[in-house]
Amino acid sequence: RSSDLMRERQMAMQVAWSREFLKYFGTFFGLASLGLTAGAIKNKRPGMFMPIIPLSFILAYQYDMGYGTFIHRMKGEAENILEKESSLLELPGGVPTFEIIEKARRAQSKFYVEK
């Protein structure tokens, strides 16, 4: 149960980080949009609107992560992978055995001189 509590705390920190980042990025996006709009109108260059497109995708992603259903969709996809695509989770070469780890440790210790 303690591992669940730790996981829940880590998830809460991730969501909190996203919400905090959204405040700063949202402010930046608003100011950049105003500046780019003013520049495009003043200089009669509609191409100055172009940076707003990728910035809006970042803003939408951060909003979804902080206040939307991103976490629920990610959890559902993870459960789908565990149930239907568990072969994706297998380590290449299988799980390392004690002998393999010891062999690698001995090989590494030849290169490092212990003091």
Side-chain angles (χ1 to χ4, degrees):
R1 179 71 185 137
S2 65
S3 63
D4 286 341
L5 291 174
M6 185 57 92
R7 184 187 58 78
E8 287 172 1
R9 289 178 181 173
Q10 289 172 337
M11 294 290 287
M13 285 296 294
Q14 180 66 37
V15 172
W17 184 91
S18 294
R19 289 179 179 179
E20 191 64 24
F21 180 81
L22 182 63
K23 291 174 191 173
Y24 289 98
F25 188 78
T27 302
F28 165 76
F29 179 80
L31 292 173
S33 296
L34 286 173
L36 290 168
T37 301
I41 292 170
K42 182 179 177 184
N43 298 324
K44 296 180 182 174
R45 294 176 56 195
M48 292 184 75
F49 283 114
M50 292 305 287
I52 293 175
I53 295 169
L55 291 175
S56 65
F57 279 98
I58 296 169
L59 182 69
Y61 175 81
Q62 286 299 325
Y63 180 84
D64 190 26
M65 218 168 148
Y67 295 99
T69 59
F70 179 82
I71 296 292
H72 298 291
R73 292 192 318 268
M74 192 169 65
K75 181 182 172 198
E77 186 61 27
E79 288 172 354
N80 183 49
I81 290 168
L82 287 170
E83 291 173 12
K84 298 178 180 157
E85 302 177 65
S86 59
S87 63
L88 295 174
L89 306 175
E90 295 173 7
L91 293 172
V95 178
T97 63
F98 176 76
E99 290 78 21
I100 293 171
I101 295 171
E102 258 318 282
K103 184 179 176 183
R105 187 189 64 77
R106 280 193 220 108
Q108 189 177 32
S109 68
K110 291 178 186 177
F111 296 111
Y112 298 104
V113 178
E114 294 182 19
K115 294 181 182 179

